[in-house]
């Protein structure tokens, strides 16, 4: 924003050489004798000041205006806005007209309900009225002594047990009570009552033990935590709303359903499982019956048929003349996808398939880029190299992302950018908490493949302390039955040491090494030799985590298991057991004393998920252990888990079901009336110092009329150029901030009468309660009341006008902080 621009020719401003409004005015007139200049005439001074408005002025600043301040109210407000928006402006276009709001909100609610029904059907409970509902409350009989629970009204406590005790009435029969230990005493609840108020407690990114237990006799601290969680949930709901509404506005023609699609499906060599078939139907409907881009998650264990779902989507898109991109996290997985797709499309000679990776020579890569740009490649398979700026697509229609959790921050942002224009299909056995979160809330369509193919058998998992003897015993058992072995370490550094141990212990067994730092050809040869059976033991990093399908390899050894993530371990374990032979996964840790509580919990979760098809359940556990964090940022933890995972979900779905109750309509900035006689008079010294005072005031007004961010940027630029403004200019800026914040909050008029301050607003009482519940200042919250469409406050005494403006500024800043939690359509 340029502060110094061409001034208006017809303008009259009244200023003063002192902040006091009683001082005789200094008149600022346009100086018509000199372009872009003004004459300052003061009745108390004989000197006439010429103010040069040229933007090229390099006049040095007087000491009075050089000191910057970072703790004044305006700076504090600006810092809060930057903090809330991640340090940068968030462009959120108004994607729907106000008249369409009801229709779209209803669609969002229906979408959320569909997502919940699909992925949480095991928690479905029919109420006595026949309506179907969902409950995240815990059955007290499933609790173990020592478990931590959350009582919705009291807070966090420790479950002691269930036993019979007499009630409050004399001679009453004993009934079962739930006993819960709190910080200041023991509570007992009848079992039937406990089942309505109790939830399991998980604290993200830490062990399940909470920092403190709540108090029975003082629930205020718990209430603050619950309200904080509720506000945070509501902010997430607003983000989800804006994401989903933006998706609804994107349009593309539906793909035609052709006989060729059935012919392509007939070449699938297996019978599709019921879940797999449903996923195929879901994707086909997304492509052929909808006019909005698909964003669907296919969640299923390794080997459960996710690739076949993707192949049919690719065929649908490619046969309509569009390009398809298949994105894999490793070259190993990308090569496997390339081989499978090439074989499946070999009978369709018009379809060209290409593989792009960082291992290719520059000339080969350039040729592929040229073919992609001109539409000579229909299906492009590759790693994150496909997301580079040099890759320009001719007519991209579909993006298939395999194992999204393996990509980095920048790659995920690039993937997200595709979702506004092309159909996106994400394949994952263990989706990251953020992906799972979006699926659970219904804002991302999801299909769950939990039925294993008929020949698959569960993998036997062994979690043990490491010893050379155990490792050799596991390897010899597999080799004796004619199989092969994966031996996985968390890092390249330890591979050489293990290689020496294996060569010394098993001199006649061929061992090969594979990791991501090897040359492409070397890595490819190693994988081919292992797949062909020449190599019996593949010593590797987690480069084999995804995609390597070796039917004869049915034992995997994972060393230093505590250094792997839960999803990684689940994926690695899925490398074996791809045939009908019983598979074994040996998870070795060095010493339990060296394993963190969180790592121990991950390992316990993996042990529990022994059966096939539990990747989704494991992802839920991972989400409970790691937390949700900011779903649109990379931070995986946050204070949302302070209320416990299950109570959090209940609050989430409650907010989603009542989104229309948190709708706020802003008013035009120009219509906001500030009925207060506050007229700041700038000092002549400051006027003389500004290069173009008239245009500075004009630019300030324009910035305020645009939005709060523009006003904030204007203020920061002004201070950067001229230093901290004097008090009179600060008052002028505060008036602009007050009107801007009022407009955002739907306040059309602010007035003062004696000790009473009133704000006429269009917000509902529920929106007002949401805002005031989240206010951090009790001073402002306790003096505000809402009645008859007005927010009123009665002050202890009548304040001078400028002090009153300061109070209103602070109050509106507190109210304005809750805006991210409100639907602004």
């Amino acid at each position: 924003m340029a502060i110094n621009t061409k001034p208006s020719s017809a303008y009259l401003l009244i200023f003063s050489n002192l902040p006091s409004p009683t001082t005789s005015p200094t008149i600022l007139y346009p100086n018509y004798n000199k372009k872009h200049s003004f004459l300052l005439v003061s009745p108390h001074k004989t000197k006439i000041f010429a103010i040069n408005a040229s933007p090229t002025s390099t006049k040095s600043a007087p000491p009075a205006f050089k000191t910057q301040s970072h703790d004044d109210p305006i700076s504090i407000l600006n810092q809060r806005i930057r903090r809330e928006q991640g340090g940068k402006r968030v462009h959120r276009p108004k994607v729907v007209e106000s008249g369409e709001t009801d229709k779209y909100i209803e669609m969002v609610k229906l979408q959320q309900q569909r997502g919940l029904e699909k992925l949480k059907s095991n928690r479905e409970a029919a109420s006595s009225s026949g309506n179907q509902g969902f409950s995240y409350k815990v059955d007290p009989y499933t609790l173990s002594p020592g478990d931590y629970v959350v009582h919705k009204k009291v807070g966090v406590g420790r479950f002691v047990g269930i036993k019979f005790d007499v009630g409050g009435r004399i001679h009453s029969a004993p009934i079962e009570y739930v006993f819960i230990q709190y910080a200041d005493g023991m509570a007992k609840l009848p079992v039937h009552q406990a089942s309505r108020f109790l939830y399991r407690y998980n604290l993200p990114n830490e062990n399940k033990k909470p920092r403190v237990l709540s108090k029975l006799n003082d629930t205020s601290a718990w209430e603050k935590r619950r309200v904080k969680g509720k506000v945070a949930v509501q902010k997430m709901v607003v983000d989800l709303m804006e994401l989903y509404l933006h998706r609804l506005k994107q349009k593309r023609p539906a793909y035609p359903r052709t006989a060729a699609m059935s012919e392509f499906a007939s070449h699938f060599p297996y019978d599709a499982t019921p879940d797999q078939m449903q996923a195929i139907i879901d994707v086909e409907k997304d492509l052929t019956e909808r006019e909005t881009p698909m964003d669907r998650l296919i969640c299923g264990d390794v080997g459960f048929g996710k690739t076949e779902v993707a192949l049919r989507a690719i065929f649908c898109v490619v046969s309509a003349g569009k390009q398809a991109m298949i994105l894999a996290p490793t070259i190993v997985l990308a090569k496997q996808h390339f081989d499978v797709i090439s074989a499946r499309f070999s009978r369709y000679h018009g379809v060209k398939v290409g593989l792009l990776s960082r291992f290719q020579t520059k000339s080969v890569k350039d040729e592929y880029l040229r073919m992609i740009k001109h539409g000579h490649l229909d299906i492009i398979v590759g790693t994150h190299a496909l997301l580079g700026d040099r890759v320009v697509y001719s007519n991209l229609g579909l993006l298939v992302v395999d194992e999204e959790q393996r990509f980095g921050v920048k790659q995920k942002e690039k993937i997200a950018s595709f979702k506004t224009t092309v159909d996106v299909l994400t394949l994952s056995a263990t989706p990251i908490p953020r992906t799972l979160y979006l699926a659970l809330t219904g804002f991302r369509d999801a299909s769950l493949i939990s039925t294993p193919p008929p020949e698959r058998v569960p993998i036997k998992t062994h979690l043990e302390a490491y010893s050379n003897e155990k490792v050799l015993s596991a390897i010899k058992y597999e080799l004796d039955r004619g199989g092969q072995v994966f031996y996985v370490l968390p890092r390249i550094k330890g591979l050489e040491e293990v290689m020496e141990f294996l060569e010394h212990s098993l001199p006649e067994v061929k061992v090969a090494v594979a990791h991501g730092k090897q040359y492409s050809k070397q890595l490819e040869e190693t994988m081919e030799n292992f797949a062909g059976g020449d190599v019996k033991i593949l010593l590797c990093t987690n480069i084999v985590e995804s995609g390597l399908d070796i039917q004869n390899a049915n034992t995997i050894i994972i060393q230093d298991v505590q250094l792997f993530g839960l999803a990684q371990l689940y994926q690695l374990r899925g490398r074996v057991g791809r045939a009908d032979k019983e598979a074994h996964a040996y998870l070795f840790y060095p010493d339990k004393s060296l394993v963190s509580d969180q790592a121990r919990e991950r390992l316990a979760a993996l042990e529990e998920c022994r059966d096939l098809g539990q990747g989704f359940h494991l992802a839920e556990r991972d989400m409970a252990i790691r937390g949700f964090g900011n779903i649109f940022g990379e931070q995986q933890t946050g204070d949302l888990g302070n209320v416990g995972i299950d109570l959090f979900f209940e609050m989430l779905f409650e907010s989603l079901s009542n989104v229309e109750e948190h709708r706020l309509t802003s008013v035009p900035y120009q219509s906001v009336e500030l009925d207060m006689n506050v007229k700041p008079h700038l000092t002549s010294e400051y006027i003389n110092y500004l290069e173009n005072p008239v245009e500075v005031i004009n630019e300030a007004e324009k910035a305020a009329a645009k939005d709060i961010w523009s006003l904030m940027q204007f203020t920061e630029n002004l201070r950067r150029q001229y230093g901290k403004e004097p008090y009179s200019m600060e008052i002028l800026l505060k008036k602009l901030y007050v009107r801007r914040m009022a407009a955002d909050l739907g306040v059309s008029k602010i007035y003062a009468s004696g000790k009473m301050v009133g704000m006429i607003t269009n917000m509902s009482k529920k929106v007002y309660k949401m805002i005031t519940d989240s206010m951090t200042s009790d001073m402002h919250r306790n003096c505000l009341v809402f009645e008859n469409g007005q927010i009123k406050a009665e002050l202890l005494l009548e304040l001078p006008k400028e002090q009153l403006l300061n109070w209103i500024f602070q109050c509106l800043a507190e109210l304005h902080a809750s805006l991210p939690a409100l639907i602004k359509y």
Side-chain angles (χ1 to χ4, degrees), residues 421-562:
T421 53
V422 302
D423 293 276
V424 178
L425 189 64
T426 304
L427 315 177
S428 183
T430 51
I432 57 174
R434 187 172 77 178
T435 301
L436 179 65
Y437 178 90
L438 289 169
L440 284 170
T441 53
F443 284 90
R444 188 171 189 178
D445 295 312
S447 300
L448 179 60
I449 305 177
S450 56
T451 311
E455 71 279 3
R456 293 289 297 274
V457 292
I459 301 161
K460 201 164 182 181
T461 304
H462 313 266
L463 180 61
E464 305 175 53
Y466 177 88
S467 75
N468 291 342
E469 294 74 22
K470 289 175 185 175
V471 169
L472 291 174
S473 173
I475 292 174
K476 286 175 181 176
Y477 171 80
E478 184 60 47
L479 296 179
D480 286 347
R481 60 176 187 168
Q484 294 165 274
V485 177
F486 288 101
Y487 196 128
V488 184
L489 274 80
R491 55 177 69 95
I492 295 173
K493 190 177 179 182
L495 293 175
E496 190 177 330
E497 185 182 334
V498 176
M499 184 72 173
E500 289 177 3
F501 163 69
L502 292 175
E503 287 177 339
H504 179 266
S505 305
L506 304 163
E508 296 181 4
V509 178
K510 190 168 183 181
V511 184
V513 175
H515 56 77
K517 294 266 179 92
Q518 291 175 320
Y519 291 112
S520 174
K521 191 168 182 59
Q522 182 186 2
L523 185 61
E524 196 171 321
E525 284 179 3
T526 301
M527 294 302 183
E528 285 177 359
N529 289 336
F530 187 59
D534 295 335
V535 172
K536 298 300 180 183
I537 303 174
L538 184 66
L539 180 58
C540 56
T541 59
N542 63 333
I543 192 173
V544 297
E545 179 183 324
S546 304
L548 203 61
D549 187 0
I550 310 295
Q551 297 285 315
N552 196 41
N554 285 295
T555 289
I556 185 166
I557 294 167
I558 306 173
Q559 191 172 314
D560 288 331
V561 69
Q562 76 283 356

Side-chain angles (χ1 to χ4, degrees), residues 317-345:
V317 170
V318 169
S319 60
K322 297 260 190 176
Q323 292 173 305
M325 169 171 49
I326 295 82
L327 191 62
T330 65
I331 186 61
V332 173
L333 182 53
K335 180 68 166 59
Q336 180 167 310
H337 278 312
F338 174 75
D339 293 341
V340 169
I341 292 168
S342 298
R344 193 67 186 279
F345 281 86

Side-chain angles (χ1 to χ4, degrees), residues 1 667-670 672 697-715 732-741 743-744:
M1 180 208 60
V667 298
Y669 171 81
Q670 290 79 5
V672 177
I697 305 302
N698 282 343
E699 286 295 319
E701 190 74 31
K702 287 177 188 175
K706 190 174 182 182
D707 55 42
I708 190 74
W709 186 274
S710 298
L711 180 57
M712 180 184 80
Q713 285 186 311
F714 168 85
T715 306
L732 189 149
L733 289 172
K734 281 183 179 176
K735 284 185 69 175
L736 299 177
Y737 270 93
V738 163
R739 288 184 64 199
R740 179 66 262 167
M741 291 188 289
D744 293 342

Side-chain angles (χ1 to χ4, degrees), residues 671-740:
S671 70
V672 177
E673 185 181 347
L674 185 58
D675 190 7
M676 293 175 61
N677 188 28
V678 180
K679 295 179 181 178
H681 297 264
L682 302 186
T683 64
S684 57
E685 185 183 11
Y686 191 61
I687 293 167
N688 187 43
Y689 173 47
L690 295 175
E691 293 185 5
N692 192 339
V694 175
E695 194 60 25
V696 166
I697 305 302
N698 282 343
E699 286 295 319
E701 190 74 31
K702 287 177 188 175
K706 190 174 182 182
D707 55 42
I708 190 74
W709 186 274
S710 298
L711 180 57
M712 180 184 80
Q713 285 186 311
F714 168 85
T715 306
E716 291 173 349
N717 287 342
L718 181 72
R719 291 177 171 183
R720 196 175 296 118
Q721 187 167 354
Y722 296 109
K724 174 69 174 71
E725 71 281 347
Y727 182 69
S728 53
M729 185 64 180
E730 184 181 317
I731 292 296
L732 189 149
L733 289 172
K734 281 183 179 176
K735 284 185 69 175
L736 299 177
Y737 270 93
V738 163
R739 288 184 64 199
R740 179 66 262 167

